[in-house]
């Protein structure tokens, strides 16, 4: 989904580089029923530490009034929250918000597609790291069931403004499945996306250059495509041997930096505002709210944090000594 022409009030949230922040990613929980090797989930934040539905609605309104126009709900696994559908409804009903998106591991998707659509969800990303059932436990833990993920994707196909299937490419795990993953997505009208692994839990990076080379070796012809969505993905238009063509999204945090036109910030499951995924600063909006701070004070604190945001992440700087805040609870 392309960022639409602006009908809402001009974004007024800018970071230190003057980049307008129009896209907020909000983690609803750090809990997850999967244990993906590239994410390091473990259930840390006690339930009372998570933002409540009214607190989330307050933050949606606060950021929307400052020009945020898209909210993505993440986790951990956001569908583990019993009130996830109501939270989607609150986000979609927030004046100024033009798109509500959700990222899920797909486990509960089959049963939630209808209620999420009815609540106003526009865009959906589903993690799909392999099509081989025997591989999944090694990637996402014993709780992961491929049949449920695939059933959820089939239930969602063709029903949302945007459906993207995200694959973290892992050495020795799924780099041999790239062509099959593309076809699986195209068969369902979805956008396949390949993501370089980020160093939250170590792991060898499979560079996008190799991803492209493997797709070409599988018979696809590739050419750059100008399509841009809200996020960091760059796209290629691919044509497979039989002539079918479509888009493929590529997200290269480690070898093809995308920070120059960053438009986003995050709220973590513990209510911490994090200006950059690769940042090490988190400002507790939860504690400010529970301490009785008015919206003006929250907005001031957020602007201050954005003015301390670095031009780019440093996750690709080997030996930088960078200690990243955990991926879980920030939702990527
Ligand atoms: S790593 Fe930070 S600066 Fe770069 S795109 Fe992500 S949030 Fe923006």
């Amino acid at each position: 989904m392309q960022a639409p022409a602006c009908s809402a009030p001009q974004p007024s949230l800018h970071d230190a580089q003057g980049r307008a922040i129009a896209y907020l990613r909000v983690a609803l929980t750090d809990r997850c029923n999967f244990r993906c090797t590239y994410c390091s989930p473990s259930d840390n934040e006690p339930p009372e530490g998570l933002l409540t539905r009214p607190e989330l609605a307050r933050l949606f309104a606060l950021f929307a009034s400052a020009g945020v126009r898209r909210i993505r709900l993440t986790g951990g696994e956001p569908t583990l929250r019993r009130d996830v559908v109501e939270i989607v409804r609150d986000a979609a009903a927030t004046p100024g918000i033009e798109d509500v998106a959700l990222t899920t591991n797909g486990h509960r998707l089959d049963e939630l597609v209808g209620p999420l659509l009815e609540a106003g969800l526009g865009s959906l990303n589903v993690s799909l790291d392999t099509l081989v059932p025997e591989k999944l436990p090694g990637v996402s833990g014993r709780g992961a069931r491929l049949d449920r993920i695939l059933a959820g994707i089939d239930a969602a196909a063709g029903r949302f403004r945007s459906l993207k299937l995200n694959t973290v490419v892992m050495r020795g795990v799924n780099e041999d499945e790239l062509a099959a993953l593309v076809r699986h997505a195209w068969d369902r009208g979805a956008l396949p996306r390949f993501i370089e692994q980020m160093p939250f839990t170590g792991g060898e990076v499979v560079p996008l250059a190799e991803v492209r080379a493997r797709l070409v070796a599988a018979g696809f012809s590739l050419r750059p495509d100008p399509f841009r969505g809200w996020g960091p993905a760059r796209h290629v238009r691919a044509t497979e041997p039989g002539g079918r063509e479509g888009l493929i999204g590529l997200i290269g945090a480690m070898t093809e930096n995308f920070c120059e036109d960053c438009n986003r910030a995050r709220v973590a499951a513990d209510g911490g505002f994090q200006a950059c995924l690769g940042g090490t600063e988190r400002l507790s909006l939860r504690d400010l709210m529970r301490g009785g701070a008015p919206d003006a004070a929250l907005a001031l604190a957020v602007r201050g944090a954005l003015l301390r945001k670095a031009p780019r992440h440093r996750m690709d700087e080997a030996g930088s000594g960078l200690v990243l805040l955990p991926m879980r609870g920030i939702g990527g």
Side-chain angles (χ1 to χ4, degrees):
M1 183 188 134
Q2 191 107 13
C6 187
S7 56
Q10 283 308 309
S12 65
L13 270 184
H14 293 83
D15 67 16
Q17 283 67 45
R19 296 171 293 193
I21 305 299
Y23 176 12
L24 186 71
R25 299 172 64 101
V26 180
L28 300 186
T29 178
D30 69 339
R31 290 183 51 235
C32 188
N33 53 335
F34 288 11
R35 291 287 177 272
C36 300
T37 54
Y38 49 81
C39 177
S40 77
S42 58
D43 308 337
N44 257 25
E45 197 63 36
E48 68 278 2
L50 301 176
L51 293 174
T52 63
R53 186 181 160 191
E55 287 170 337
L56 286 161
R58 181 178 171 190
L59 291 181
F60 297 157
L62 181 88
F63 281 94
S65 68
V68 162
R69 292 180 290 132
R70 186 197 218 200
I71 291 175
R72 175 173 294 282
L73 304 173
T74 66
E77 174 50 38
T79 62
L80 293 185
R81 276 197 64 150
R82 291 199 191 85
D83 53 359
V84 65
V85 173
E86 288 72 30
I87 292 169
V88 168
R89 198 185 310 284
D90 294 344
T94 302
I97 295 301
E98 295 179 358
D99 185 51
V100 178
L102 182 115
T103 298
T104 175
N105 62 23
H107 192 77
R108 292 195 60 212
L109 187 53
D110 195 5
E111 68 205 76
L112 283 174
V113 163
L116 291 171
L117 268 172
E118 185 275 327
L121 190 71
S123 306
L124 184 65
N125 290 14
V126 185
S127 303
L128 182 64
D129 293 319
T130 180
L131 291 168
V132 182
E134 298 73 35
K135 286 187 187 176
L136 193 58
V139 173
S140 297
R142 287 192 304 277
R145 293 252 314 275
L146 188 60
D147 58 337
R148 291 188 65 140
I149 300 170
L150 297 180
I153 291 169
D154 288 350
R159 302 186 65 189
F160 291 90
R161 251 197 312 269
S162 155
L163 175 61
K164 300 173 188 160
L165 305 185
N166 289 347
T167 303
V168 175
V169 185
M170 293 165 275
R171 178 69 69 205
V173 176
N174 57 5
E175 73 266 49
D176 59 341
E177 295 185 62
L178 305 183
L181 287 158
V182 169
R183 294 190 176 102
H184 188 88
W186 286 358
D187 290 349
R188 289 153 184 80
L191 173 60
R193 309 204 307 169
F194 297 116
I195 303 170
E196 286 182 348
Q197 186 164 349
M198 290 180 274
F200 287 90
T201 60
E204 183 189 342
V205 174
V206 177
L208 290 186
E210 180 181 333
V211 168
R212 290 188 195 90
R214 284 178 176 273
L215 289 168
V216 170
F220 289 84
S221 65
L222 308 179
R223 61 189 190 278
D225 190 278
F227 173 76
R228 286 295 309 275
W230 282 86
R234 280 24 178 195
H235 297 82
V236 291
R237 183 158 293 280
T239 307
E240 65 176 340
R244 179 171 62 163
E245 72 169 48
L247 285 180
I248 298 174
L250 301 170
I251 301 176
M254 304 306 287
T255 67
E256 297 180 14
N257 188 276
F258 44 60
C259 295
E260 78 276 357
D261 57 2
C262 176
N263 63 349
R264 51 205 165 275
R266 293 162 172 83
V267 174
D270 63 2
F273 178 75
Q274 192 166 326
C276 170
L277 174 63
T280 54
E281 179 191 333
R282 212 176 264 179
L283 151 80
S284 182
L285 296 175
R286 177 197 62 196
D287 295 351
L288 284 172
M289 286 191 285
R290 294 181 185 180
D295 281 0
L298 299 180
L300 197 60
V302 164
R303 288 180 196 289
L306 285 170
L307 289 177
R308 294 187 294 276
K309 180 173 178 173
R312 67 183 301 277
H313 72 73
R314 295 172 45 225
M315 294 186 277
D316 52 357
E317 287 175 22
S320 67
L322 184 66
V323 179
L324 292 168
L325 293 165
M327 171 72 96
R328 73 173 188 286
I330 194 68

